[in-house]
Amino acid sequence: MLTKEQIAQRIAQEVQNGQYINLGIGIPTLVANYIPEDLEVVLQSENGLLGIGPFPTEYKIDPDLINAGKQTITMVKGSGLFNSAESFAMIRGGHVHLTILGAMEVSENGDIANWKIPGKMVKGMGGAMDLVASAENIIVAMQHCSRSGDSKLLKECSLPITGIRCVKKIVTDLAVLEIAPEGGFILKERAPGVSVEEIQSKTEGKLIIEGEIPEMKF
Amino acid sequence: MINKVIQDAQEAVKDIPSGAFLMMGGFGLSGIPENCISALLKRNINGLTIVSNNAGVDDFGIGLLLKKKMVKKMISSYVGENAEFERQLLSGELEVDLIPQGTLAERVRAGGAGIPAFFTPAGVGTEVAEGKEIREFDGKLYLMERWLRADFSLVKAWKGDTAGNLIFKGTARNFNPIMAAAGKICIAEVEELVPAGELDPNQIHTPGIYVQRIFEGKDYEKRIEQRTVSHS
């Protein structure tokens, strides 16, 4: 099973040179730590920045410079700042190439649920609905099962959904999977030491297994 | 130049009535109108509707207005940092409209720009779409969203001049410029107020036409929600 850091590390392998990328809160934020240094990419923060840099040192902290998770950050050279309407214009307009976000559930046709647990959690969707409705390429970082062991890769989402038919790829602590155009989770890679049978038993939605499934490489 | 300067926060908010529809700039606690919130706390009003991306934290920002039961309704995209908010919401004391952040921003922008409605893909197929007109354009589904306009918009800028021109700093810009335009009366508080002519016109983010009142704020706390540092 992968740690959160390893999930982030595996997702970083999907990043391509020249991409503008939006990273969600949680595991997706960690992806920035593993993007190879020879790639030129720009990280977008939906509160109004292109060019997120590393966390600041103690004496460089600026309360007027935060990311969408409200963490203090820095700007890389060549950054740009803008207002919230402009920020979502570039998201909706299809200018952001890759969106990486967390999920509570994903269905086999690519629906995602990550904003609400009725009666329990009322935090809101933030920018997630705009991102999933607009991005061409959406990768989800998530745990394969809940703490109680229930599969989070489902036939249909049980929680209120954030977007329909939008997820392309999923990296969990057990596997890398892609959503088939006609529906179903295509198993692409296994976490080191995890068997196909284990992944099958922990995937409630339709799992598509074609040929030998390789282990992830780091 | 038309002079927009007023004395202080107290004068700025003195005619905001109970039941007013307000907008407040800021993302998290970054770029919030701290002085105006403090001045509102001293007013004996309630039943406010507030459009703001977030709802502050329990003991700072809009959280203070919530605690004093001055707010009837919040229109926001994410409210996860505020336990008092969650309590009032679950107990039914507070009404809340949760709106996708980009839709919220565009509704505010549309309000300021005189566009009564627009179509967006955000929320199609979700409970956000319930009761809204859905239309297909070029093979993709979109839902109709309406503009938002406020009686008063309360914004915070880094620098401003006596003519109401504003310059923001860092990510404290966020919703502030679009809210300035969407308020019938925009109140701008700035860290530094200078005479008209001292700001470079090439650098203005919000033109003074949108701002009706401006004052230099004081004692900015600029509280940080997530203090993350690197040690290298």
Side-chain angles (χ1 to χ4, degrees), chain B residues 65-159:
Chain B
L65 302 172
L66 290 167
K67 204 178 261 178
K68 237 188 117 187
K69 307 264 171 76
M70 296 171 75
V71 186
K72 180 184 74 175
K73 182 176 182 179
M74 287 296 307
I75 300 176
S76 306
S77 87
Y78 189 81
V79 294
E81 280 90 4
N82 192 321
E84 173 66 12
F85 182 103
E86 205 154 351
R87 190 199 63 73
Q88 288 189 19
L89 177 60
L90 292 170
S91 71
E93 293 164 63
L94 182 69
E95 289 174 56
V96 178
D97 263 4
L98 289 170
I99 294 176
Q101 193 179 146
T103 298
L104 181 65
E106 191 62 15
R107 288 179 68 186
V108 172
R109 195 200 70 80
I115 307 285
F118 58 91
F119 285 88
T120 175
V124 169
T126 76
E127 59 186 63
V128 166
E130 284 168 18
K132 289 176 184 155
E133 182 182 341
I134 308 281
R135 273 176 70 176
E136 188 181 318
F137 295 95
D138 300 326
K140 186 170 168 173
L141 296 176
Y142 297 81
L143 59 89
M144 191 175 81
E145 294 282 3
R146 299 291 313 274
W147 62 6
L148 280 171
R149 293 188 294 176
D151 300 323
F152 295 85
S153 60
L154 281 48
V155 306
K156 149 81 180 32
W158 180 39
K159 292 180 181 177

Side-chain angles (χ1 to χ4, degrees), chain A residues 27 42 47 53 59 75 81 86 99 131 149 154-155 164 178 181 186 188-189 198 201 203:
Chain A
I27 299 174
V42 178
N47 54 324
Y59 80 99
M75 292 187 281
L81 294 155
E86 176 97 51
T99 290
L131 283 158
L154 307 171
K155 283 192 201 321
I164 48 172
E178 285 176 4
I186 307 170
K188 304 297 284 188
E189 297 173 27
E198 181 178 353
S201 73
T203 305

Side-chain angles (χ1 to χ4, degrees), chain A residues 37-54:
Chain A
E37 281 184 13
D38 56 334
L39 295 188
E40 294 286 349
V41 299
V42 178
L43 301 179
Q44 200 245 20
S45 195
E46 65 254 30
N47 54 324
L49 167 65
L50 278 170
I52 304 174

Side-chain angles (χ1 to χ4, degrees), chain A residues 25 45-49 54-59 61-73 75 81-89 92 115-116 118-136 160-164, chain B residues 27-31 53-54 76-81 85-86 89-90 98-106 109 118 120-128 140-141 156 158 169-175 177-178 191 222-232:
Chain A
I25 296 165
S45 195
E46 65 254 30
N47 54 324
L49 167 65
F55 294 144
T57 54
E58 190 70 42
Y59 80 99
I61 283 183
D62 179 355
D64 292 327
L65 204 54
I66 60 171
N67 64 17
K70 285 96 176 178
Q71 296 172 311
T72 46
I73 51 164
M75 292 187 281
L81 294 155
F82 36 86
N83 72 50
S84 299
E86 176 97 51
S87 179
F88 283 91
R92 262 188 255 98
W115 76 281
K116 185 180 186 183
K120 259 193 196 165
M121 186 198 88
V122 276
K123 293 185 187 303
M125 64 291 278
M129 282 194 184
D130 309 271
L131 283 158
V132 300
S134 310
E136 282 297 306
I161 62 172
T162 309
I164 48 172
Chain B
F27 185 98
L29 300 177
S30 178
N53 188 56
N54 311 95
S76 306
S77 87
Y78 189 81
V79 294
E81 280 90 4
F85 182 103
E86 205 154 351
L89 177 60
L90 292 170
L98 289 170
I99 294 176
Q101 193 179 146
T103 298
L104 181 65
E106 191 62 15
R109 195 200 70 80
F118 58 91
T120 175
V124 169
T126 76
E127 59 186 63
V128 166
K140 186 170 168 173
L141 296 176
K156 149 81 180 32
W158 180 39
K169 178 169 161 268
T171 53
R173 188 182 321 183
N174 54 64
F175 284 81
I178 49 175
E191 289 176 55
K222 295 196 183 183
R223 193 183 293 189
I224 291 170
E225 271 180 80
Q226 305 284 337
R227 193 179 191 87
T228 43
V229 294
S230 63
H231 297 287
S232 53

